[in-house]
């Protein structure tokens, strides 16, 4: 740990640009390969058409829109997951369950108050954010204060979360019918692009602003690289870790609300089921070290879109239902191998042979 | 001293009277072992059904134990046997491992009924099993679909979690029609009961430009997901629409979609077994005997053109 940290400190100035650039290479290449594969398979795969939906509005339709739209929850969760991974060197496996709780709170409030007005939707959204932050803080406390491994700490909520979601609304799948909810998960009347795509963009902008105008990014990175050193430098490491979990909580709430909005229904058992694994995978594909430290949120978001492209591709290829996960696994193995240190080193050596360059600098995300 | 003795006598008298009073209409003791209501909307309705039928007013003293864990269920069964119940009603979490408990029950003279799910054991170990026939649900649905008399059947088939009873039963009859060419399989994909995944599957078919006129979803949630994709793509559905929508489970909101004409068909998976079991217990208590080991719950299929509000109130779950 210490050794790696020092190598980064000494080499940081020279490698900074190169590191940033090479990290995004893996998710970009995987995306590109998937895209090329699809174009070869079916030239019209990425056609976008304008159609009229059943509400009578003109909307965009096509696989690109489906991918961008379908990956929204995953992209938002991947952003939060990146932060937790960077700060704590571990992952939160309870995000799906937390989103189910947040979504249940959202639906509960909407169903409790008569007519669904914009005001009520905002109140419900804020309430479910608050609940998700509380659960995030619970996870964060276990990790930051009690020093429990993140995966073990979040295993508690992973196990209990969907039962808690059940207590909120009962066993059946409660529905909410309202144009406002439809607009959240579908289209705002008159806007041809699905709303979830805008929500991802807004989340991305908020994070970009946070990193630009606050120390959040720098502190997170410092805590992840060496939390003792960070503490000695006056950073409140407990608070930084806790904060990352609370921010992830808000991401869970936003994803939960989108997922509820898509169908106007909540099924606490299936809402964003197994998305925690995809979110962690997105972080990994994005080239972020799962052991914490340096991170690039854009990489994780690209990773999320790569995963969704893969899913859409497999559906389009009509891969039989019984084998879809196996196919997915094969592709993921390839992507993960592509991003592995061994492969990177080999690629570096090949590159050196061509450039005849200097001593290679190890940039393993730390 | 005298006082104490008279008090004792008085108490004995009261006890004797109470015993006599109880003797006239003795409560039948039943131990009910089920999965917890949080498992699903189906289970919630199932648990509620048993709670409303096996009441003191109906002549029962019911003890309940809910768990998804087979070992916990076995422990509960052991406890009920020790408590001396007259009947054990079981919906097992897993189908194996029950033999020794059932033998204990038999030894103690306790009669066993199975509901919702069968157990891997000899038929002599229980009085009767009241279960759903998922295969029958699939056949009813497919027969209804054939009755629509379409020129061509281009079906999007969205399956439940692969390997579950409901998936196998509801897929089987449709698969046969795909095999013999009566219907065309546009796509057959599992969404593992996930609404959002069902939507993605239908979206991908729409994006590929293939035509279809039937969506056969193996539960209500996935049918709703499929319909959301159609709505976004401007494809009409339901009564008088371009695409026939079929779902299963009869959630209240799904039957309302039928009543509104947005969907065409919903198949029932009945969670109401308590009344049937209660009837059989009363038969045994009156000295009668049971004719069938397996009783299939009567299950309906609702058509959007004939469904009424009364149906929704009676059969809708949730």
């Amino acid at each position: 740990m210490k050794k790696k940290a020092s190598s980064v400190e000494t080499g940081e100035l020279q490698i900074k640009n190169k590191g940033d650039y090479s990290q995004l290479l893996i998710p970009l290449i995987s995306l590109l390969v998937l895209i090329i594969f699809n174009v070869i398979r079916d030239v019209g795969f990425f056609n976008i058409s304008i159609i009229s939906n059943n509400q009578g509005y003109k909307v965009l339709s096509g696989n690109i829109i489906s991918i961008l739209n379908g990956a929204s929850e995953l992209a938002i969760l991947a952003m939060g997951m990146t932060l937790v991974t960077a700060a704590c060197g571990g992952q939160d496996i309870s995000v799906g369950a937390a989103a189910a709780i947040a979504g249940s709170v959202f639906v509960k409030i909407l169903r409790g108050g008569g007519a669904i007005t914009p005001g009520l939707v905002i109140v419900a959204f804020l309430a479910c954010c608050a609940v998700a932050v509380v659960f995030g803080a619970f996870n964060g406390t276990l990790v930051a204060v009690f020093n429990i491994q993140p995966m073990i700490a979040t295993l508690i909520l992973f196990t209990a979360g969907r039962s808690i979601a059940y207590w909120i609304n009962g066993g059946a799948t409660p529905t909410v019918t309202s144009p406002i909810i439809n607009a959240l998960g579908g289209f705002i009347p008159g806007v041809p692009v699905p709303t979830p795509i805008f929500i991802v963009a807004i989340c991305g902008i908020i994070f970009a602003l946070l990193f630009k105008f606050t120390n959040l990014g720098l502190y997170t990175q410092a805590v992840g690289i060496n939390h003792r050193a960070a503490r000695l430098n006056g950073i409140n490491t407990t608070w930084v870790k806790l904060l990352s979990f609370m921010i992830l909580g808000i991401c869970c709430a936003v994803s939960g609300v989108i997922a509820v909005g898509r169908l106007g229904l909540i099924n606490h058992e299936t809402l964003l089921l197994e998305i925690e694994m995809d979110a962690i995978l997105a972080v990994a594909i994005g080239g972020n070290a799962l052991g914490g430290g340096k991170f690039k949120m854009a990489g994780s978001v690209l990773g999320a879109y790569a995963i969704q492209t893969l899913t859409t591709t497999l559906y389009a290829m009509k891969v039989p239902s019984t084998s879809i996960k196996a196919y997915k696994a094969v592709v993921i193995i390839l992507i993960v191998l592509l991003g592995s240190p061994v492969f990177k080193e080999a690629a570096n050596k090949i590159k050196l042979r061509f450039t005849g360059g200097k001593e290679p600098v190890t940039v393993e995300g730390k | 001293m005298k006082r104490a003795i008279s008090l004792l006598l008085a108490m004995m008298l009261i006890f004797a009277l109470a015993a006599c009073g109880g003797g006239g209409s003795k409560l039948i003791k039943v131990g009910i072992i089920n999965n917890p209501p949080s498992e699903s909307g189906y289970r919630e309705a199932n648990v509620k059904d048993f709670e409303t039928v096996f009441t003191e007013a109906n002549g029962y003293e019911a003890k309940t134990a809910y768990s998804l864990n087979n070992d916990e269920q076995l422990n509960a069964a052991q406890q009920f046997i020790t408590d001396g119940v007259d009947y054990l009603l079981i919906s097992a979490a897993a189908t194996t491992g029950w033999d020794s408990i059932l033998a204990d029950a038999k030894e103690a003279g306790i009669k066993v009924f199975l509901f919702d799910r069968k157990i891997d054991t000899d038929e002599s170990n229980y009085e009767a099993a009241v279960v759903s026939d998922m295969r029958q649900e699939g056949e009813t649905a497919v027969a209804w679909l054939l009755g629509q008399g379409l020129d061509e059947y281009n079906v999007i088939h969205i399956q439940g979690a692969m390997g579950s009873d409901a998936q196998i039963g509801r897929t089987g009859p449709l698969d046969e029609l795909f095999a013999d060419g009566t219907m065309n399989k546009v796509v057959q994909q599992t969404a593992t009961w996930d609404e959002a995944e069902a939507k993605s599957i239908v979206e991908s078919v729409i994006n590929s430009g293939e035509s279809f006129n039937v969506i056969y979803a193996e539960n209500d949630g996935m049918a709703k997901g499929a319909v959301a994709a159609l709505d976004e793509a401007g494809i009409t559905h339901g009564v008088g629409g371009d695409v026939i929508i079929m779902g299963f489970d009869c959630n209240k909101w799904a039957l309302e979609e039928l009543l509104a004409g947005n969907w065409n068909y919903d198949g029932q998976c009945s969670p109401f077994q308590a009344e049937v079991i209660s009837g059989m217990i009363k038969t045994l208590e009156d000295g009668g005997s049971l004719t069938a080991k397996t009783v299939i719950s009567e299950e309906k299929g609702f058509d959007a053109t004939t469904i009424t509000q009364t149906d929704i109130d009676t059969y809708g779950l949730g």
Side-chain angles (χ1 to χ4, degrees):
Chain A
M1 190 72 164
K2 253 179 189 166
K3 204 173 158 194
K4 273 185 185 167
S6 66
S7 85
V8 167
E9 275 153 27
T10 52
E12 183 150 49
L13 279 180
Q14 314 145 22
I15 62 163
K16 196 170 182 187
N17 286 328
K18 182 174 160 256
D20 287 353
Y21 163 75
S22 77
Q23 194 189 330
L24 293 185
L25 214 57
I26 303 300
L28 275 176
I29 290 175
S30 16
L31 250 181
L32 208 65
V33 169
L34 281 168
I35 288 171
I36 293 170
F37 174 77
N38 273 309
V39 171
I40 294 172
R41 204 179 52 77
D42 173 11
V43 183
F45 189 77
F46 290 111
N47 284 357
I48 293 184
S49 51
I50 297 175
I51 54 172
S52 179
N53 70 7
N54 277 353
Q55 291 171 295
Y57 296 105
K58 295 256 178 282
V59 296
L60 294 175
S61 169
N63 278 317
I64 292 191
I65 303 296
S66 291
I67 291 168
L68 288 176
N69 185 10
S72 303
E73 292 97 323
L74 182 56
I76 293 168
L77 288 175
M79 292 181 200
M81 188 70 85
T82 313
L83 209 60
V84 165
T85 301
C88 308
Q91 287 73 41
D92 183 342
I93 58 170
S94 68
V95 289
I101 294 173
S104 297
V105 170
F106 187 64
V107 170
K108 177 84 182 174
I109 293 174
L110 291 180
R111 279 168 67 89
I116 296 176
T117 58
L120 183 65
V121 174
I122 292 169
V123 169
F125 175 66
L126 291 178
C128 83
C129 279
V131 170
V133 167
V134 169
F135 280 104
F138 169 75
N139 282 336
T141 308
L142 291 180
V143 172
V145 179
F146 294 96
N147 270 329
I148 300 171
Q149 266 287 318
M151 205 168 274
I152 302 302
T154 55
L155 189 61
I156 298 167
L157 193 55
F158 172 78
T159 314
R162 292 188 191 269
S163 294
I164 296 171
Y166 160 76
W167 291 331
I168 297 169
N169 275 315
T173 46
T175 53
V176 272
T177 331
S178 147
I180 306 171
I181 303 303
N182 291 347
L184 268 179
F187 293 88
I188 297 167
V191 180
V193 177
T195 318
I197 296 179
F198 290 115
I199 299 178
V200 175
I202 292 169
C203 290
I205 291 169
I206 291 174
F207 272 115
L209 291 177
L210 275 177
F211 292 143
K212 193 164 170 58
F213 293 109
T214 71
N215 289 329
L216 179 70
L218 186 68
Y219 281 14
T220 302
Q221 206 162 297
V223 171
I225 291 171
N226 187 333
H227 73 109
R228 279 200 197 88
R231 194 166 52 224
L232 289 175
N233 278 298
I235 297 174
N236 185 343
T237 54
T238 310
W239 173 240
V240 170
K241 288 181 183 176
L242 195 59
L243 189 64
S244 72
F245 273 99
M246 285 156 78
I247 292 174
L248 178 56
I250 293 179
C251 293
C252 291
V254 175
S255 319
V257 167
I258 295 176
V260 168
R262 284 190 197 281
L263 298 156
L265 154 154
I266 184 150
N267 179 344
H268 63 94
E269 282 300 333
T270 60
L271 184 100
L272 299 180
L273 190 64
E274 290 175 8
I275 200 160
E276 45 276 340
M277 295 308 148
D278 278 348
I280 295 169
L281 190 63
V283 174
I285 293 177
N288 296 295
L290 293 185
K294 288 187 78 171
F295 66 95
K296 257 234 156 312
M297 211 167 258
S300 307
V301 175
L302 284 175
Y305 288 120
I307 292 171
Q308 185 65 33
T309 310
L310 176 59
T311 311
T312 305
T313 307
L314 291 175
Y315 283 150
M317 288 171 67
K318 295 188 184 172
V319 172
S321 20
T322 39
S323 46
I324 199 156
K325 282 190 177 160
Y327 278 86
K328 210 171 167 180
V330 170
V331 180
I332 287 164
I333 290 171
L334 291 178
I335 297 177
V336 175
L337 278 181
L338 199 65
S340 69
V342 174
F343 192 89
K344 270 187 192 164
E345 213 167 288
N348 249 350
K349 272 183 192 155
I350 295 170
K351 204 167 130 198
L352 281 173
R353 193 171 298 163
F354 282 110
T355 54
K358 306 160 281 185
E359 186 78 357
V361 193
T362 33
V363 199
E364 281 168 26
K366 289 239 174 177
Chain B
M1 191 60 193
K2 224 181 203 173
R3 215 180 211 182
I5 289 174
S6 60
L7 193 69
L8 201 72
L9 280 173
M11 277 173 73
M12 278 167 75
L13 196 67
I14 289 168
F15 268 113
L17 278 174
C20 281
S25 57
K26 193 174 134 294
L27 292 178
I28 303 168
K29 286 186 192 167
V30 293
I32 301 171
I33 294 168
N34 203 343
N35 296 279
S38 62
E39 184 209 55
S40 59
Y42 172 89
R43 192 64 57 187
E44 193 181 35
N46 186 238
V47 166
K48 209 161 132 198
D49 182 43
F50 277 81
E51 278 172 358
T52 46
V53 169
F54 290 94
T55 56
E56 271 187 45
N58 289 342
Y60 293 102
E61 184 191 333
K63 295 180 181 195
T64 53
Y66 304 129
S67 175
L68 278 174
N69 181 327
N70 212 39
D71 290 334
E72 282 179 25
Q73 286 195 339
L74 289 168
N75 284 338
Q78 194 68 63
Q79 188 59 47
F80 288 158
I81 292 171
T82 315
D83 292 350
V85 296
D86 302 312
Y87 295 90
L88 263 182
L89 317 184
I90 304 168
S91 173
T95 53
T96 51
W98 285 87
D99 280 335
S100 71
I101 287 286
L102 294 182
D104 286 354
K106 200 185 247 175
E107 208 169 289
I110 296 168
K111 296 195 171 78
V112 175
F113 284 93
L114 309 182
F115 62 95
D116 172 39
R117 295 172 190 179
K118 281 197 177 179
I119 290 176
D120 250 350
T121 187
D122 194 76
E123 278 198 345
S124 64
N125 287 334
Y126 56 89
E127 300 302 314
V130 183
V131 292
S132 290
D133 185 347
M134 303 286 185
R135 166 102 199 166
Q136 187 57 49
E137 291 169 19
E139 269 160 14
T140 310
V142 166
W144 175 89
L145 183 55
L146 283 172
Q148 300 307 298
L150 303 183
D151 298 333
E152 221 185 357
Y153 287 91
N154 297 313
V155 185
I156 296 182
H157 179 191
I158 304 171
Q159 299 167 293
M162 299 303 285
S164 61
D165 281 351
Q167 179 270 321
I168 294 170
R170 292 167 190 178
T171 294
L174 187 60
D175 251 351
E176 282 162 21
L177 293 179
F178 286 149
D180 70 15
T182 316
M183 296 186 183
N184 302 325
K185 174 165 73 179
V186 176
V187 76
Q188 182 178 51
Q189 189 62 266
T190 179
T192 46
W193 309 126
D194 184 347
E195 297 80 7
E197 217 162 315
K199 180 169 179 254
S200 309
I201 291 166
V202 175
E203 247 178 51
S204 108
V205 178
I206 294 169
N207 291 341
S208 76
E210 277 176 282
S211 66
F212 55 91
N213 58 359
V214 177
I215 291 180
Y216 182 101
E218 289 179 359
N219 79 355
D220 287 337
M222 297 193 296
K224 191 171 171 75
V227 167
L230 297 184
D231 279 337
E232 280 182 11
I235 298 170
T236 58
H237 50 82
V239 180
D242 290 337
V243 178
I244 287 179
I245 306 293
M246 301 174 72
F248 286 93
D249 290 353
C250 289
N251 283 294
K252 202 161 257 172
W253 55 261
L255 295 181
E256 279 160 5
E257 295 278 4
L258 249 68
L259 192 62
N262 295 329
W263 296 12
N264 301 78
Y265 175 91
D266 205 25
Q268 195 192 9
C269 180
S270 172
F272 309 117
Q273 299 125 355
E275 205 59 71
V276 179
I277 294 181
S278 173
M280 292 195 288
I281 289 178
K282 292 279 154 82
T283 309
L284 290 177
E285 289 290 308
D286 294 343
S289 63
L290 304 176
T291 45
K293 273 286 176 191
T294 305
V295 181
I296 306 291
S297 300
E298 194 201 333
E299 292 177 327
K300 300 168 185 297
F302 294 99
D303 184 314
T305 53
T306 55
I307 193 169
T308 61
Q309 187 60 45
T310 323
D311 289 332
I312 299 180
D313 296 337
T314 317
Y315 300 103
L317 305 184

